[in-house]
Every structure is written in C-alpha cells, then in structure tokens.
Amino acid sequence: MSKEIIRSPEMEKQIETKIILEFMRHGKKEDDKTKANEELMLTPEGKAQAVAKGKELGPQPEVSIAWGSPRKRSQETAVHVMLANEEIDPDASLEEMEKLIAKEIKIGKKIIEDERLNFNIEGPAGEEAEAAFKRGEYVPFLVKESDKLAIELDDKASSTYTTQAGNVAEIIERYTKIGDNFNRIASKTDKYEKFGNQLERYLGTHQGVVECFVAKVLEKTEGIEKRDEFVKSVGGGFGEAEGIHIEIINSGSDQKIKIDFGINGNKESIGIDKEILESIIKEREEFEKKVNKV
C-alpha cells in the first residue's frame, strides 16, 4: 500500500491541476401520467444512456461528486455516469447506488442536491414555456422571450434566460475558488498524482438550464449573432445525457476556464475568465430586482 508523501515548503512544486465539470441533461425519463413531473425517474434506456456517457468520459469516483436538481432523475443520471466503470448493476436505482456509496465512504457526501440545476414553469409564463417546449423551440423561447415575459407578467417563479444562466455561472464560480485551493493542496502532496491531479464533478440537470449559460457566455464574448447560431442549433435543447464540458485549469496562481460545447454538430471551445462569470451572476441579481420590483 503506497504512502502519501507530504512535501515540505522547500519540496513544493508548481503543478497543473484541473477541476472537470460535466453538465448534462438527464437521460430518458418515464412517461407515467400517474406521477408528478418531479417524481419521474429514468427508464432502462435512460440509465443506459447515462452509463454510456460515463464509459465515454472515464470517471474516477475517488475524486468525483455527483450533483443533481431536486428531481431525482437528474441525480440518477449523474450517479450512473460517475459509477459507469464500477462493478454495479447498470439498472440499479438511485437508492441502491446511494447505499453502495454509503458503504464505501464514511465521511462527506457523494451526491449533492442543488435547486440551481432545476427548472420551474409554475409561474404565469409557464404555459408559454410549455408550449414552446412542445414545439421544439424551448431554448429560443428562453433566450429571446422569457426575461421580458417574466417582467411583463410579474412572474417571480418561472425560470428565465438570465436566472438560469446566472445559476450555472454561480456553480462554476464556486469551483474557480476551489480550483485555487486545490492547486495549493495538490502542490504539497503526491496524493492526487494517480488521478491526474484533478477533481471531477458530474452535474445532472434539465433541458434549457445549461443552454442558457452557454448562450449568455457567447452573447458576452462573441456577440448576439454567435449566440443565436448556438440557440438555433440546439432548438429544444441538448439531447438526453448531453451537455457541456468545463475545465478549470490552475498552474500556480494562473487559472484558465475552458468550455466545450456543440454547435450544428461541431465541437467548439471557448475560454472565459472569472470576470465573465461574475458579470453573468450580477445580471441575474439585477434582473431579479426588476422582477421583484425592488
């Protein structure tokens, strides 16, 4: 059994560390009219989609955490991705996987529930949002109409372009700070070398949530035309178990943030900084003041 080496200040070296954030829409869900939307879980096909996604990504559960919205199918997707290479039943339920994880770790959490990964169409604008979803135009509706509609209808509940973009930006911004700390910790030990000096997070969410963030980033960095190209390409939103890949790369005090996503079937990458994230979060805060008439 290898022993962790703790480096003295003289032995510390500048190394490159990464935090990987995989945001993805949940896999195929049940079509059960007897259940509320919040209760719908993954179908066997949806679980298989998540496992296939995990096989593609090659997760390292020892340095991973699964995130999801309060809708359990998003958590279920993230956990199946995270455990895709482990010897577990690919049809295992979320409860069964939670028990397996609990046996393996004694402290800390491996599954995190976060409302910011959720969506809401319960407000006055919800009917129009649902109609756009059924037409396959959900993301164009969110990006081009939802903010204005929320203000006009005094809708404090429904998800909008600016609120969802800000929520995702806030999660990423948190990990930029963790990235700084992780680099300092990893520079003092060899503990993370076998994992490529990286941490991994698998975040299950819903159609439209992450797309709003990508659209907002493109709007701020490359302009409305590029944003609209992306919006047109995704239409209703990312496919099941699809999403974006983010790398927060630290080398000493230097940090880079890289986002990989798809447009018209092509893979694209864009680099951003903390200031872009902070501006998206600030926009959400200002928008919420308008809606709440503060």
Side-chain angles (χ1 to χ4, degrees), residues 111-139:
I111 306 175
I112 294 176
E113 181 179 300
D114 195 310
E115 179 63 35
R116 291 173 295 184
L117 294 169
N118 203 5
F119 71 97
N120 189 324
I121 55 172
E122 300 302 317
E127 189 173 329
E128 292 197 40
E130 190 167 5
F133 178 83
K134 290 177 179 177
R135 294 195 306 268
E137 299 173 357
Y138 186 49
V139 174

Side-chain angles (χ1 to χ4, degrees), residues 74 84 101 111 123 182 210-211 222 226 254 256 270:
S74 65
I101 290 170
I111 306 175
F182 177 57
V210 180
E211 294 91 330
E222 299 191 29
K226 188 69 173 180
D254 182 56
K256 297 177 182 177
I270 187 169

Side-chain angles (χ1 to χ4, degrees), residues 22 24 52-60 81 85 200 202 245:
E22 297 284 353
M24 69 202 78
K53 177 80 170 181
K55 297 283 188 186
E56 174 190 327
L57 295 174
Q60 303 178 102
V81 170
N85 291 324
E200 302 167 11
Y202 299 94
H245 170 89

Side-chain angles (χ1 to χ4, degrees), residues 250-269:
N250 277 75
S251 182
S253 60
D254 182 56
Q255 184 178 81
K256 297 177 182 177
I257 307 166
K258 184 167 76 77
I259 307 171
D260 294 335
F261 57 96
I263 293 184
N264 295 320
N266 299 315
K267 292 290 185 183
E268 298 209 11
S269 294

Side-chain angles (χ1 to χ4, degrees), residues 53-286:
K53 177 80 170 181
K55 297 283 188 186
E56 174 190 327
L57 295 174
Q60 303 178 102
E62 298 93 333
V63 289
S64 299
I65 292 177
W67 283 53
S69 79
R71 299 171 200 258
K72 297 296 185 181
R73 60 184 178 271
S74 65
Q75 298 176 39
E76 199 177 8
T77 299
V79 178
H80 271 294
V81 170
M82 183 176 72
L83 300 180
N85 291 324
E86 302 304 298
E87 294 182 0
I88 65 168
D89 182 353
D91 289 324
S93 68
L94 180 60
E95 291 74 19
E96 289 169 336
M97 291 187 291
E98 285 177 320
K99 288 178 183 177
L100 176 66
I101 290 170
K103 285 182 181 179
E104 297 297 323
I105 62 171
K106 305 304 179 187
I107 57 173
K109 294 182 68 174
K110 277 288 188 181
I111 306 175
I112 294 176
E113 181 179 300
D114 195 310
E115 179 63 35
R116 291 173 295 184
L117 294 169
N118 203 5
F119 71 97
N120 189 324
I121 55 172
E122 300 302 317
E127 189 173 329
E128 292 197 40
E130 190 167 5
F133 178 83
K134 290 177 179 177
R135 294 195 306 268
E137 299 173 357
Y138 186 49
V139 174
F141 164 80
L142 285 169
V143 172
K144 298 181 180 181
E145 299 180 45
S146 64
D147 284 350
K148 181 181 177 183
L149 204 56
I151 293 171
E152 289 176 353
L153 299 178
D154 194 26
D155 189 342
K156 301 176 179 63
S158 297
S159 301
T160 76
Y161 175 38
T162 295
T163 57
Q164 292 192 143
N167 289 345
V168 174
E170 195 169 63
I171 292 171
I172 299 167
E173 196 262 347
R174 175 194 179 206
Y175 275 104
T176 64
K177 297 173 182 175
I178 292 173
D180 291 334
N181 292 332
F182 177 57
N183 185 266
R184 286 192 288 270
I185 292 168
S187 296
K188 298 176 182 178
T189 175
D190 69 344
K191 178 180 177 180
Y192 297 98
E193 288 180 0
K194 62 183 177 181
F195 305 114
N197 285 319
Q198 69 183 36
L199 301 179
E200 302 167 11
R201 301 295 182 259
Y202 299 94
L203 301 101
T205 184
H206 304 272
Q207 205 167 9
V209 177
V210 180
E211 294 91 330
C212 284
F213 170 73
V214 176
K216 186 70 78 171
V217 167
L218 290 173
E219 179 183 314
K220 287 183 168 294
T221 59
E222 299 191 29
I224 297 294
E225 187 175 334
K226 188 69 173 180
R227 180 203 73 182
D228 289 348
E229 180 189 350
F230 169 74
V231 168
K232 183 179 179 180
S233 77
V234 296
F238 288 129
E240 290 154 345
E242 293 181 355
I244 66 173
H245 170 89
I246 296 179
E247 294 185 3
I248 300 171
I249 306 165
N250 277 75
S251 182
S253 60
D254 182 56
Q255 184 178 81
K256 297 177 182 177
I257 307 166
K258 184 167 76 77
I259 307 171
D260 294 335
F261 57 96
I263 293 184
N264 295 320
N266 299 315
K267 292 290 185 183
E268 298 209 11
S269 294
I270 187 169
I272 63 170
D273 54 28
K274 290 180 183 179
E275 285 71 26
I276 291 289
L277 297 172
E278 289 165 356
S279 70
I280 294 173
I281 295 167
K282 185 175 180 181
E283 267 191 26
R284 182 200 62 189
E285 292 168 349
E286 293 300 318

